[in-house]
Amino acid sequence: MKKELRAAVIAGNWKMNCGPAAAKALIEDLKPLAANAECGVIVCVPFVDLQVALEATKGTNIKVGAQNCHWAESGAFTAEISAGMLKELGVEYVILGHSERRQYFGETDVTVNQRLRAALNAGLKPIVCVGEVLEQREQGITEEIVRMQTKVALMGVSEEEMKSIIIAYEPVWAIGTGKTATADQADEVCGQIRKVLAELYGEAVAEATTIQYGGSMKPSNAKELLEKVHVDGGLIGGAALKAADFAGIIDAAK
Ligand code: PEP
């Protein structure tokens, strides 16, 4: 299978930005700009914006995602949101294992796996984030780290379930810092992730899986990154908060 046959997906991670009114306005601005996208388009919004985002995107090519979910179906987990709750609302995607969750909220490879399996069981499509911190890159252990994160995240996940999963390679040192991995660095690690998928599930699954790059992607660098053979899309933070910038990245995915 060739790169052209994989689904390119541009997903916005709004993080803790925009209340419902701002979310509606941003989506309204984005709708005409994204209408002719030749890639998948997802906005992953704060929990409180989900309802508004689902309403505003109805009948459009823009899909809606959450930014996390809990691993339990229900119970005494104050302030948490289950995968089933998201599904009931009509949410399609969920980001899991984002480095900010790992860094600030104690997320581990094992809890990412638990959340992933809960998301799959509920019928959500996970966007699973992996990536090394600067010290790990400088130590030359990026491949080991990313291999481990990928393998643990996917524990107990079937070949069939892999059809619903997107993997996002996000070098932590490039997130929100303005420092982008070079296109070659991004391609190299996305290729290493694809190799892990081939070892776990075989070549066909590895070739069919969408692997995004994330880390300071913007209209000016998106084309070079997205042209790389193993880079099938982007997970976009800062640039997803301006409709014109996000649309510029969507255009670069043509
Ligand atoms: C992200 O939050 O996933 C991200 C890639 O952020 P930024 O684009 O701002 O680096």
Side-chain angles (χ1 to χ4, degrees), residues 13 15 95 98 100 129 170 174-178 213-217 235-239:
N13 172 18
K15 312 192 191 201
I95 296 174
H98 191 278
E100 287 152 15
C129 303
E170 298 211 307
I175 296 179
T177 58
Y213 165 78
S216 301
M217 196 188 271
L235 182 55
I236 321 299

Side-chain angles (χ1 to χ4, degrees), residues 27 77 91 97 108 111 124 128 136 141 153 159 178 192 209 213-215 230 233 236:
I27 290 171
F77 299 102
V91 172
T108 66
T111 57
L124 296 175
V128 188
Q136 292 163 337
I141 57 171
E159 187 177 327
Q192 288 163 351
T209 303
Y213 165 78
H230 291 297
I236 321 299

Side-chain angles (χ1 to χ4, degrees), residues 2-8 194 207-210 229-230 232:
K2 300 228 172 67
K3 174 181 169 73
E4 296 80 58
L5 300 178
R6 281 194 289 271
R194 206 175 300 287
E207 287 294 328
T209 303
T210 295
V229 67
H230 291 297
D232 305 317

Side-chain angles (χ1 to χ4, degrees), residues 24 28 31 49-60 64:
K24 184 168 167 32
E28 291 304 332
K31 275 185 339 193
D49 297 343
L50 286 168
Q51 190 90 57
V52 157
L54 287 163
E55 280 292 322
T57 55
K58 217 173 260 174
T60 75
V64 174

